[in-house]
Amino acid sequence: MIGSIEQAAKALLGADDILILTHRRPDGDTTGCAGALCRGLRQLGKTAYILPNPDVTARYADLIVPCYAPADFVPAFVATTDIADFGLLTENAKPYQDRLDLVLDHHRSNGMTASVRVVRESAGANAEVVLDVLNAMGVTLDPEIATCLYVALSTDTGCFRYSNTTADTLRAAARCLEAGVDGGELNRKLFEVKSWARFQMERIVFDTVEFLRDGKIALALIRRADIEKTGADMDDLDSIASLTRQIEGVQVGITVTENKDGTCKISVRTTKEVDASAICARCGGGGHLRAAGATLTCPPEEARGKILAAAEQVYAESELA
């Protein structure tokens, strides 16, 4: 059952010794939401920490690392931000999966269970949900909290360019700007500045992309050898999944990335004609209508075949609809 913002605020206001969890391979939304929520709770005099995330990269470290829980911290209340599935929990978060008190999310595929679940599918970023919870608790939106929220809002909407951007998203971003956020500078750092490794990875993607269905489906396979050759890290690979969809005529953009552990990360981005989450659901994943993902435990070529088969099926169904 989906709870309300008021229920979430009441639960947090009545709690203390709060621990906030973020998901594996953390992006701007999960880290920005966790950073904002933790700082907001501390503003109210609560003891609140974020569970250390071993996957966090330099791009988002400042949002959560200053709030990391000490090793001996014993939480009385556990909350999650932007986590849609138990499989997305980091290893050190798994001991808490059966005792979640609050889930704050915006993925329609959310399968988490908790005492209170607030899942707003219409939200462009989970930061919209967190902002409403902070407002309901009476938190003052200071520049530090607003920066966390703005990063979350902008990164999950592609700098407010993706179709998940709504009027509510822009109103939330405006609140952050009014609180003192330098949106122009943050956008430049997040979306314009590229490392040499990122530049090389983009070149590899465009050099190797393959097209199906008369150019309606595009797939790029990023092999581990290329990642290691360029020296790319998670920051460099962040948002690279959207590149194939940028090509004119492409309705389904797929990126298969070979991970260090031998698994493959699947990222699917679609235009309004095709459901990205329906494609990924056929491979055990999920996500949003236009942006979804999955993880396959098989070699890259096999992963390529599985996700392409799913994409072909869903695309064919969309043509018949």
Side-chain angles (χ1 to χ4, degrees):
M1 186 168 129
I2 304 299
S4 66
I5 293 296
E6 291 72 23
Q7 287 174 313
K10 182 178 178 180
L12 287 166
L13 288 172
D16 207 353
D17 295 326
I18 300 163
L19 184 66
I20 304 167
L21 312 182
T22 54
H23 62 64
R24 291 167 47 211
R25 294 191 292 271
D27 59 7
D29 201 15
T30 192
T31 53
C33 287
L37 183 60
C38 187
R39 288 169 172 84
L41 290 167
R42 290 180 176 184
Q43 185 186 107
L44 298 176
K46 304 286 186 181
T47 298
Y49 292 104
I50 297 170
L51 184 70
N53 191 319
D55 297 333
V56 73
T57 60
R59 182 183 296 262
Y60 304 121
D62 288 347
L63 303 179
I64 61 173
V65 172
C67 298
Y68 274 0
D72 60 351
F73 178 64
V74 179
F77 187 99
V78 181
T80 71
T81 57
D82 195 49
I83 303 180
D85 185 85
F86 287 114
L88 293 173
L89 292 173
T90 57
E91 283 300 317
N92 60 341
K94 289 182 178 178
Y96 302 105
Q97 65 182 8
D98 295 326
R99 50 161 298 190
L100 297 181
D101 297 287
L102 176 63
V103 165
L104 299 176
D105 191 33
H106 68 134
H107 296 91
R108 64 175 179 165
S109 60
N110 187 285
M112 305 287 279
T113 54
S115 300
V116 179
R117 292 175 66 247
V118 180
V119 181
R120 186 187 298 167
E121 298 176 14
S122 62
N126 193 49
E128 296 174 40
V129 178
V130 172
L131 175 58
D132 284 350
V133 172
L134 293 174
N135 287 337
M137 290 194 296
V139 172
T140 299
L141 196 60
D142 61 29
E144 193 173 14
I145 294 173
T147 295
C148 292
L149 291 172
Y150 188 88
V151 170
L153 291 163
S154 62
T155 54
D156 237 36
T157 59
C159 200
F160 311 103
R161 293 180 294 111
Y162 297 161
S163 60
N164 60 328
T165 305
T166 68
D168 287 336
T169 310
L170 296 177
R171 276 189 280 267
R175 287 282 312 280
C176 295
L177 296 177
E178 289 168 350
V181 170
D182 186 345
E185 181 59 17
L186 270 179
N187 290 338
R188 187 188 71 81
K189 289 180 179 179
L190 292 169
F191 302 102
E192 294 181 11
V193 177
K194 296 179 184 179
S195 68
W196 179 245
R198 170 61 186 242
F199 173 77
Q200 289 178 302
M201 286 308 307
E202 289 189 5
R203 184 169 60 183
I204 290 170
V205 167
F206 286 125
D207 283 347
T208 60
V209 65
E210 57 180 308
F211 298 92
L212 299 92
R213 290 270 180 173
D214 296 322
K216 299 296 191 301
I217 299 175
L219 181 140
L221 199 162
I222 301 176
R223 299 183 182 278
R224 196 71 220 164
D226 289 327
I227 296 173
E228 293 173 357
K229 178 182 176 181
T230 60
D233 60 16
M234 287 301 298
D235 277 343
D236 297 315
L237 297 175
D238 185 40
S239 77
I240 209 164
S242 64
L243 290 180
T244 50
R245 191 179 58 176
Q246 294 175 7
I247 302 167
E248 186 177 5
V250 171
Q251 294 179 9
V252 181
I254 304 169
T255 305
V256 179
T257 305
E258 185 180 8
N259 295 321
K260 279 184 180 180
D261 61 4
T263 63
C264 288
K265 177 187 177 184
I266 307 297
S267 299
V268 177
R269 303 291 183 266
T270 61
T271 57
K272 63 182 180 179
E273 293 83 4
V274 187
D275 185 342
S277 64
I279 295 173
C280 290
R282 300 191 182 204
C283 292
H288 301 294
L289 192 61
R290 303 289 168 247
T295 298
L296 295 177
T297 54
C298 58
E301 287 298 338
E302 186 178 342
R304 170 195 169 278
K306 288 182 177 180
I307 194 62
L308 271 182
E312 288 268 15
Q313 292 168 1
V314 174
Y315 181 83
E317 291 168 4
S318 72
E319 286 191 310
L320 296 174

